[in-house]
Amino acid sequence: MKTLATAALFVSLSLPASAGTPFSVMLDWFVNPDHGPIIIAKQRGYFAEAGLDVDIIAPADPSDPPKMAAAGEVDLGVSYQPQLYLQHKEGLPVVRVGSLIDSPLYCVMVDADGPIKSLADLKGGRIGFSVPGIEEALMHRMLRTNGVEPEQVESINVNFALTSALAAGTVDAVGGAFRNFELHQMAMVGRKGKCFFPEENGVPDYEELIYETSADRTDFTAIKGFLSATARAAEEIAKDPEGTWQEFKGYATELDDQLNHDAWFDTYPKFSAKPMAFDEERYQAFGAYLADIGMIEAVPALDRVTRALGNE
């Protein structure tokens, strides 16, 4: 009997602990400081404590996360609030269920030592961009607020080489720069960047990075567990940005560089402390704004594009 009991104990200790419920999140781009709460929650075991085995996926193409989420191929996709309404317009069945960064990061960036001192100076100039839909939603209003029609500037698709195009003088400004990254990139090539912010130039406030899932989803238990874990991580990051930076950079070798270090300390104050919170008026106002500028025909009912998990 003693031998059998000992053998049974050995077998139980040899078996791996339950890995938890498989759960997948596809990022908007490769891992970077914007994803801090996700990475820290993973590193500290917060997802495991919530009973989740989280797979963090970087997309092959930045347009993939909403499509994968809509198809149910991933549980969550990281996307952008301005894109949510355009995705709905195109018939993509996704809904917003939480936020990762709840204020804008986007900016129109110029060389601070160059001739462009205000957005009004861009009349007749050249602006580089990466993502057409976002530019139409944000940069065009920013220009018009400063007396410049979009047709009065030359728009040049520079893909994602925003900083190099601006530093080389190929363009006079770039739209789609993230204020927590590209300003540091300019400094690294010996230049000083200046950002013009959408929220100061006619664009309503919005959430930069949001979590989307399939509109057909009915069980949000795992998603709530995921978001609760990221809320906990965001709180810990705010308490100890230096210590959590050390943990963040340990996630992957390529994260340990000066750009990510500098970006981390610009980014962490913007992490959503309450990712399940939902500001109905804010979403309604941004939808009305997109309808006003003609990017969507009408403001979609909020229950068509969101699930307010914090209210459940």
Side-chain angles (χ1 to χ4, degrees):
M1 292 292 292
K2 182 178 180 180
T3 303
L4 288 174
T6 303
L9 177 61
F10 176 78
V11 170
S12 68
L13 292 176
S14 299
L15 292 174
S18 173
T21 302
F23 189 95
S24 54
V25 56
M26 179 171 279
L27 307 178
D28 57 305
W29 197 228
F30 53 84
V31 176
N32 63 71
D34 290 347
H35 310 123
I38 301 173
I39 302 305
I40 294 302
K42 178 82 167 179
Q43 294 285 76
R44 292 194 168 186
Y46 297 165
F47 292 138
E49 289 179 26
L52 301 176
D53 180 15
V54 174
D55 186 17
I56 300 170
I57 307 164
D61 185 301
S63 67
D64 286 345
K67 298 173 186 175
M68 295 288 282
E73 296 295 326
V74 296
D75 292 290
L76 289 178
V78 177
S79 189
Y80 309 85
Q81 184 187 339
Q83 291 282 31
L84 174 64
Y85 308 84
L86 304 181
Q87 292 158 0
H88 177 265
K89 175 184 176 182
E90 294 163 4
L92 195 65
V94 291
V95 289
R96 178 263 192 207
V97 289
S99 63
L100 173 54
I101 291 182
D102 59 11
S103 61
L105 290 177
Y106 177 103
C107 78
V108 172
M109 184 174 71
V110 301
D111 188 327
D113 297 322
I116 308 300
K117 304 304 180 186
S118 73
L119 290 175
D121 295 333
L122 284 170
K123 186 179 293 186
R126 301 157 299 168
I127 302 180
F129 70 92
S130 299
V131 185
I134 292 290
E135 301 312 317
E136 195 174 344
L138 303 179
M139 184 174 66
H140 288 191
R141 169 55 67 93
M142 294 173 69
L143 290 172
R144 288 188 172 112
T145 298
N146 289 273
V148 181
E149 287 300 314
E151 297 78 17
Q152 294 176 308
V153 302
E154 180 184 359
S155 294
I156 301 172
N157 191 333
V158 297
N159 294 314
F160 292 96
L162 296 171
T163 301
S164 57
L166 181 60
T170 306
V171 293
D172 301 300
V174 290
F178 269 20
R179 60 192 77 172
N180 57 334
F181 273 94
E182 271 78 7
L183 289 174
H184 294 299
Q185 286 183 326
M186 284 289 282
M188 291 175 71
V189 296
R191 309 291 279 274
K192 183 179 179 182
K194 174 180 173 60
C195 267
F196 298 100
F197 303 142
E199 66 271 26
E200 295 177 359
N201 289 278
V203 178
D205 200 15
Y206 63 91
E207 295 178 325
E208 190 67 57
L209 292 179
I210 62 174
Y211 296 107
E212 296 179 342
T213 194
S214 169
D216 295 329
R217 192 178 190 113
T218 56
D219 185 350
F220 298 94
T221 304
I223 288 178
K224 288 182 177 181
F226 176 92
L227 294 175
S228 293
T230 62
R232 182 180 173 189
E235 182 180 357
E236 295 303 314
I237 292 168
K239 289 178 181 176
D240 182 15
E242 178 58 43
T244 48
W245 156 250
Q246 297 298 326
E247 291 180 59
F248 175 81
K249 72 177 184 179
Y251 181 75
T253 305
E254 62 269 20
L255 296 175
D256 187 9
D257 62 22
Q258 191 63 44
L259 176 59
N260 282 310
H261 173 273
D262 294 345
W264 175 264
F265 290 93
D266 271 358
T267 307
Y268 83 80
K270 292 181 171 289
F271 293 141
S272 297
K274 297 180 179 179
M276 279 187 277
F278 176 61
D279 188 330
E280 204 171 294
E281 291 185 5
R282 194 182 191 192
Y283 266 72
Q284 193 72 26
F286 200 87
Y289 160 72
L290 290 182
D292 180 58
I293 63 175
M295 291 205 68
I296 58 176
E297 292 180 5
V299 183
L302 292 180
D303 62 4
R304 298 290 303 277
V305 293
T306 65
R307 296 290 182 272
L309 302 187
N311 298 335
E312 296 180 5

